Amino acid sequence: MKPRGARILASAAVLMAAQSQTARADIGTVALAPITGLAGDSDAAAVRAAQAAIGHGIEGVTGATLIPPDQVAKRARAAHQARLLSCTEQEQCLRKLGRLAGADVIIQGELGGLGSAQVIYLKLIRTDGGPAQSTTLSLSANSDDKAVAAVTRLLAPERYTGTLALAIDAEGAAVFVDGQRLGISPLTAPLSLEVGSHALRVTHPEYRDYVRFVNIEFHRQRSLDIGLQQFPIVASSSVDGGGADSITLQGKAPTRERPWYRRWYTIAGAGAAVLITSAIIVGLASDGIDADRERTVMMPR
């Protein structure tokens, strides 16, 4: 029989595979409308480079078939609807252009400059209706990989993920990500997580909790070796099956240094001072009593 942690991960893997198959079927044909420049600050060469990067990104998403910008423009002109190429900022116009191109989805981009980098604002419209989706892409080093990530985020957000591999030095530790329990150590496979920052917590009844934030990147695996710190005193299993827990000392318990006024020599010195002070007071009181005594003086014979 599989451990509980393995069963949880196996069920999660089956669910993710089913969702992935559904996403592949839902993507279909993707038309890329001709990319335009914002306020005319992008030249023709930059626009062509941006269109090539986005086209590569669409082709990198499994289940998506690309209709390139030149084919979209050709089909619009053949249908005497060239005006649709100049009104792609409007969702209704963009949706009509996508239907005319024979696409299930159409993506339109606007290219602009931001310092030394070029930034593309991408908008996705489904030709059968639905709200628009958008994201941004910065064209610099590794633009092709970034384009695949940006387009995946638009077309199949459930696949916009990375993985987290955990090596935990204690068995039976529960793994929580963003407050959700995802398994028990030892984990048999890396965890698939959305791109971004996540709160990780590893907890075990005999160890201190391990807590930190981890950043997950697209199609990258993050690996962590987790060494849990054991509590000084822990409760072990029941003794002789009687149901009572035995307490076992694991190492030396941490101690706190006593303050100076609670140390033995401070207390002893204070006691001696009290005794000496008391003796002085008693002595002074005794002399006073002798001086005040009454006597009867007899006449000499």
Side-chain angles (χ1 to χ4, degrees), residues 217-239:
E217 299 180 6
F218 179 69
H219 275 189
R220 300 284 182 86
Q221 178 168 296
R222 179 75 181 272
S223 299
L224 288 178
D225 293 328
I226 298 177
L228 298 179
Q229 297 182 3
Q230 195 168 21
F231 286 119
I233 300 177
V234 298
S236 65
S237 58
S238 59
V239 181

Side-chain angles (χ1 to χ4, degrees), residues 35-42 47 109-112:
I35 291 178
T36 59
L38 288 172
D41 56 357
S42 300
V47 169
E110 294 179 338
L111 178 64

Side-chain angles (χ1 to χ4, degrees), residues 239-271:
V239 181
D240 298 330
D245 287 339
S246 64
I247 304 300
T248 304
L249 182 65
Q250 302 290 342
K252 185 178 180 180
T255 58
R256 290 171 48 184
E257 187 176 357
R258 290 185 177 182
W260 64 270
Y261 54 82
R262 294 186 60 185
R263 297 179 184 176
W264 68 270
Y265 49 81
T266 303
I267 297 174

Side-chain angles (χ1 to χ4, degrees), residues 276-289:
I276 293 173
T277 303
S278 300
I280 293 173
I281 293 173
V282 170
L284 293 174
S286 299
D287 291 341
I289 294 173

Side-chain angles (χ1 to χ4, degrees), residues 164-171 173-176 185 187 200-203 207-212 214 223-229:
L164 176 63
L166 300 177
I168 305 173
D169 65 351
E171 294 187 3
V175 177
F176 292 83
S185 65
L187 301 178
L200 170 67
R201 181 167 70 95
V202 180
T203 181
Y207 296 84
R208 302 182 188 276
D209 284 2
Y210 176 91
V211 180
R212 67 170 295 174
V214 293
S223 299
L224 288 178
D225 293 328
I226 298 177
L228 298 179
Q229 297 182 3

